[in-house]
Amino acid sequence: MELRHLRYFVAAAEQENVSRAALKLHVSQPGVSRQIHDLEEELGFPLFERSAQALKLTDAGRKFLEEARAVLQRAEEAVKNARAVAVGTGEEIHVGYAPSLTIQILPRALRAFQRKFPRARVALHDLSTEEMLAGLRAGKLQVSLMVHPPRKMLRGLHFQELARYPLCAALAPKHLLAKSKEVSLEQLADEPMIGYSRKDYPEYHDMLDEIFAGARKPRIVEEHDGVTSVIAAVESGRGFALMPRCVESMAGPRVKLVPVKPAPGPIPVGAAWKNGPDLVKEFIAAAAEGAKN
């Protein structure tokens, strides 16, 4: 007995006619009749009472119909579940992210990904660049949304750029420079600066060295390990910070983001990964979709 026999039987029972069952199944009428006959032969009892115009289920046929439908449904579920495992839709992936850089990309990526893979679970980890790179190499993370690190830090990993964000000076709303349309590097040189921890974000300090290579560098008065504390420090008036424009979605009116002149190079943000199932590629595709919106 094969699933084909059950499908033909169920179609014939529902249509109460071999011709209509054959039409529904897109097969020939003799093929349906032969499969049902073979099934009855194997079972050892008739499933239908036949007349010239229609088929009528026997008592045994009605019971067998219930069981046949259950078997076919279970087989369909088995295929779906196996396919889910094959493409990772029943799995969990761990995603590292930098809040200040992914405030726009990440929510859109999650929505697009969950629409396509509603059964997949995404575990999010708010981490520094160093922590994300270590997590990817150790297999604790499958993908990370982060600033493009130096090539030497990406050794053994893949990176796909998703977006670029201009750098701005983040200032307290009541700061004198907050009302300016733009600020120069010379103006910022005399202001106390709030930065990220050099230990956790070495690429941030490399970026500052490049930006102020031809100008006087501001004095960093505080270093923090996360964007929320940097925003709080700037809001309180303890100094300014250089931050990507996308932070505006997170900070709101708490700080004022003013363009810098001459404009530093934009910050490239993307997805880093080592290897993994197809689900990782699907998440990166969703992140790319989110970056375009």
Side-chain angles (χ1 to χ4, degrees):
M1 186 185 303
E2 299 177 1
L3 291 178
R4 179 180 67 253
H5 294 105
L6 300 183
R7 292 192 185 98
Y8 285 25
F9 163 68
V10 170
E14 291 176 345
Q15 299 296 321
E16 298 183 337
N17 184 279
V18 173
S19 297
R20 289 195 296 268
L23 188 62
K24 179 181 179 180
L25 295 168
H26 304 290
V27 297
S28 67
Q29 179 178 335
V32 174
S33 297
R34 184 172 60 254
Q35 295 296 330
I36 293 175
H37 176 75
D38 291 345
L39 179 59
E40 290 177 318
E41 285 287 320
E42 181 171 354
L43 291 172
F45 54 82
L47 296 169
F48 296 102
E49 296 177 358
R50 293 166 172 82
S51 68
Q53 300 297 324
L55 297 175
K56 182 180 178 181
L57 285 169
T58 62
D59 291 341
R62 279 190 290 271
K63 181 60 179 178
F64 191 73
L65 177 60
E66 296 176 8
E67 301 297 335
R69 283 172 170 162
V71 170
L72 290 174
Q73 182 178 357
R74 185 68 188 91
E76 183 177 352
E77 291 173 356
V79 172
K80 288 182 179 179
N81 291 337
R83 184 176 290 117
V85 172
V87 299
T89 55
E91 296 180 357
E92 176 183 77
I93 61 170
H94 291 261
V95 177
Y97 72 103
S100 61
L101 299 173
T102 60
I103 184 65
Q104 295 177 351
I105 295 175
L106 184 57
R108 298 169 183 168
L110 290 172
R111 286 194 294 270
F113 182 73
Q114 294 295 173
R115 280 197 303 268
K116 190 171 183 181
F117 302 100
R119 293 181 60 250
R121 181 176 182 272
V122 179
L124 299 176
H125 304 271
D126 177 353
L127 301 169
S128 68
T129 301
E130 288 285 320
E131 290 170 330
M132 282 190 275
L133 292 173
L136 290 171
R137 290 194 169 90
K140 296 180 179 179
L141 300 175
Q142 281 73 58
V143 62
S144 290
L145 301 181
M146 59 194 298
V147 67
H148 195 322
R151 183 175 298 178
K152 62 181 180 180
M153 296 176 67
L154 269 176
R155 190 174 295 112
L157 301 174
H158 306 284
F159 188 88
Q160 178 179 328
E161 185 174 307
L162 301 174
R164 292 192 168 212
Y165 296 109
L167 268 177
C168 296
L171 300 156
K174 293 184 179 180
H175 195 288
L176 292 177
L177 295 176
K179 298 180 180 179
S180 305
K181 292 184 178 180
E182 57 186 22
V183 294
S184 66
L185 295 179
E186 288 75 16
Q187 288 174 296
L188 294 175
D190 295 322
E191 300 291 329
M193 185 175 186
I194 309 296
Y196 288 95
S197 164
R198 182 180 292 273
K199 176 183 177 182
D200 295 322
Y201 299 92
E203 78 286 350
Y204 179 81
H205 291 270
D206 291 342
M207 179 191 71
L208 295 181
D209 291 340
E210 291 181 10
I211 292 174
F212 292 97
R216 189 157 48 93
K217 187 176 180 180
R219 181 172 62 92
I220 297 179
V221 295
E222 295 181 21
E223 289 188 0
H224 297 270
D225 62 359
V227 62
T228 54
S229 54
V230 171
I231 291 174
V234 171
E235 181 184 18
S236 67
R238 300 207 294 270
F240 82 96
L242 284 179
M243 307 185 81
R245 169 63 71 180
C246 57
V247 170
E248 195 169 32
S249 302
M250 177 184 293
R254 296 172 59 193
V255 302
K256 183 70 181 296
L257 292 174
V258 181
V260 177
K261 186 178 180 180
I267 297 181
V269 178
W273 74 100
K274 185 176 181 181
N275 49 43
D278 291 342
L279 198 62
V280 171
K281 297 178 182 178
E282 293 287 354
F283 184 84
I284 295 171
E289 179 182 334
K292 293 178 182 178
N293 296 333

